[in-house]
Amino acid sequence: MWRLKVADGGNNPYIYSTNNFVGRQTWEFDPDYGIPEERAEVEAARENFWKNRYQVPASSDLLWRMQFLREKNFKQTIPQVKVGDDEKIKKETAIIAMRRGAHFFSALQASDGHWPAENAGPLFFLPPMVFCLYITGHLDTIFPGEFRKEILRYLYCHQNEDGGWGLHMEGHSIMFCTTLNYICMRILGEGRDGGKDNACTRGRKWIRDHGGVTFIPSWGKTWLSILGLFDWSGCNPMPPEKLCSYIRVVYMPMSYLYGKRFVGPITPLVLELREELFLQPYSEINWKKVRHLCAKEDLYYPHPLIQDLIWDILYICTEPLLTGWPFKNLRQKALEVMMKHIHYEDENSRYITIGCVEKVLCMLACWVEDPNGDYFKKHLARIPDFIWVGEDGIKMQSFGSQAWDTSFSLQALLACNITNEIGATLKKGHEFIKESQVKDNPSGDFKSMHRHISKGAWTFSDQDHGWQVSDCTAEGLKCCLLFSMMPPEIVGVKMEPERLFDSVNILLSLQCKDGGLAAWEPAGALKWLEMLNPVEFVGDVVIEHETVECTASAIQALVLFKKLYPEHRKREVDNFIKNATKYIEDVQMPDGSWYGSWGVCFTYASWFALAGLAAAGKAYPNCLAIRRGVEFLLNSQTDDGGWGESYLSCPSKKYTPLEGNRSNLVHTGWALMGLISSGQAERDPTPLQRAAKLLINSQTEDGDFPQQEVTGVFNKNCMLHYAAYRNIFPLWALAEYVRWVPMP
């Protein structure tokens, strides 16, 4: 059976940590682990997922939950409650439902204080890792039999009915992911017509029916060129001499591999795939003519004419110069500089890198530079950090959401106001948050390496990751401030003021001229640079963009900080809150909503915006933005009292309800909290009562909530599954309901 290990560095001499691996989560397969009843439970979960995979594509993340609940011998002792159709919610009923949820969720806390969870969903994350290990000869070592079995299970579970694979688990089939997952199956040992339910035959048919792989988008062309299934002359240039802007974190290793024109071993399987994936003989393809091809199913951001013109100039004029004498030395120098930057990023993230897309490319670049070098070995040692096992198989994490999920989990539990029942859980969580704060800036002359300050920040995952994120920092700071107001004998020693000040410094440094905050670094580059986005299937990748969520999180954190430390950088904090509040008001949509960049979508951002405005002192009577935001939420409430928004809102930038106007419990939690923060309970509590009734009646017998649609997003078009959200936000919303809404 599979088993999740926490805060375990193992015995690998090539792995190291800044905080003794707090937050690290890795999986191991132990053939002797588990009794027959437990193994049967896992198999039943797998079978249930397979039967319902088209209705609920997101896994319920059951394997580690089963493990933790068994290890802690958790039994729900608080009786389940329901509210009748014509019955009003009694305070006792709401409190019972809240306590049940809190006790269940507390049992899922890991030994180091964080809440593990899947953070995956895009279907282009995993195949490149398999490709890299295949090319470097480490596939059998890193992914032995049981790993391969579970990787294939994941590919089968998320193949669409038409035979293709989507950009993410709920998406329509596209050439990019169908090709990558088809090749992945073949590398893992499936024959040309192998795979469960004829997976390979169906996948290949989809590819060929849609024009063959010459229509794969640019990232796909890059990986196929690396594998020897495409010619580099069929790719648009990625010159290392020209690299600029935030997108560097992916394009650094990609441009290195392009500059080297690296091609992996041409194995018999590669030769077979050349025959299977193209509609014409491989030797007859005119590579120059396929550079701009992209299947219409993949095309979210069509290249503007000016971008194609730039690619053509680079392709026709610049590349021949840089690959021939006397400029060849310039190319070699650029490659050396590129590797210097790659090694710097690797070392400062403990070889986790900024995320899974870059991880694989950096690892391969290190192997190309030196197959036997320590850089590559250090990368191999961090692969387990990205592997996650669910009832739907092995998937690749974005890079983990440990700090993000835990900061929300703790705020939800604190809102329950039952410290006497869950004090130990809160104390462990507090310790995790303190241990996860980044203690230093990136090493050396980090500004010359195009890095921002990070001391005092929180990352999305764990301290070792090292990359500051604005809203993760704000939520981590909020947690520490809340705990600082509680008895230390219950929740532990509060964080030192100097470390709180470091966090404030990070937030102040990230605010942009318009008052908003982006996620990673200060925004400020020229907006028109986004026209140069080379990635056809996502948007907003070239420069940093301010978001409502990051801005609202920072407002709430700094308002709370100001109450506790009113004199610390008073003028700067006041100006920050004022300008951030104006930003939120300025970017409100015509229908009263706000666009969400990290969650689905207008519901998510509207919760943040309303909470941020309220924290800044705005109120329904004196703030038009709050009144319009409330109107949007009330108008989008469903017949059963909940809220449910389709992920299609994200790419279309237009509010789209779920099919059949059904509700989603996470969306319902967001909307309920947004309305409560606006003072809805004082105006008309009826919409709140209807939403709370839905949450109470949806709770399962053990205190859990059912998994529904994917709720996260990035770059407008790619969905991300936050498996912990189904517990965090219904629980948090019920806690806020108990606190603020009058009940008999």
Side-chain angles (χ1 to χ4, degrees), residues 137-154:
H138 290 77
L139 185 61
D140 292 339
T141 305
I142 303 298
F143 289 153
E146 287 297 329
F147 282 81
R148 293 187 182 212
K149 178 181 176 182
E150 292 306 315
I151 292 172
L152 286 169
R153 185 193 308 277
Y154 186 72

Side-chain angles (χ1 to χ4, degrees), residues 57 66 265 268 287 382 407 412 448 478 480 486 503 596 629 677:
M66 292 174 177
W287 297 106
R382 279 292 188 174
S407 64
S448 70
K478 281 166 62 179
C480 290
M486 300 176 69
S503 299
S677 69

Side-chain angles (χ1 to χ4, degrees), residues 12-82:
N12 194 315
Y14 291 100
I15 192 170
Y16 58 100
S17 174
T18 57
N19 67 345
N20 201 27
F21 300 101
V22 169
R24 191 177 193 227
Q25 41 192 28
T26 56
W27 288 85
E28 69 171 6
F29 182 79
D30 182 350
D32 300 320
Y33 177 60
I35 61 175
E37 290 80 3
E38 294 166 354
R39 298 183 184 194
E41 187 180 19
V42 170
E43 287 304 319
R46 289 168 172 161
E47 184 63 28
N48 186 62
F49 182 88
W50 176 259
K51 289 179 180 178
N52 297 286
R53 66 192 185 282
Y54 297 132
Q55 289 73 44
V56 185
S59 87
S60 296
D61 213 12
L62 292 178
L63 268 61
W64 75 270
R65 289 170 173 244
M66 292 174 177
Q67 173 193 332
F68 276 32
L69 295 175
R70 284 196 305 268
E71 290 174 351
K72 298 182 181 183
N73 197 27
F74 173 78
K75 303 293 181 186
Q76 181 61 266
T77 58
I78 305 171
Q80 189 171 13
V81 289
K82 297 286 184 181

Side-chain angles (χ1 to χ4, degrees), residues 553-618:
S553 279
I555 290 174
Q556 294 174 68
L558 288 180
V559 167
L560 181 56
F561 174 82
K562 182 181 171 183
K563 291 178 181 177
L564 298 176
Y565 298 91
E567 298 305 317
H568 182 79
R569 300 176 71 170
K570 184 177 188 304
R571 180 178 297 179
E572 293 171 84
V573 171
D574 287 344
N575 286 336
F576 182 104
I577 295 169
K578 176 183 174 182
N579 294 332
T581 302
K582 185 177 184 302
Y583 168 82
I584 291 177
E585 293 175 326
D586 288 345
V587 298
Q588 190 172 27
M589 304 292 286
D591 66 354
S593 67
W594 286 268
Y595 180 80
S597 298
W598 301 105
V600 179
C601 171
F602 297 98
T603 312
Y604 181 68
S606 295
W607 162 51
F608 272 99
L610 289 171
L613 291 173
K618 301 288 184 176

Side-chain angles (χ1 to χ4, degrees), residues 117-136:
E118 174 182 337
N119 188 249
L123 299 179
F124 60 91
F125 280 2
L126 180 60
M129 178 63 79
V130 173
F131 301 167
C132 179
L133 295 174
Y134 176 72
I135 290 167
T136 61

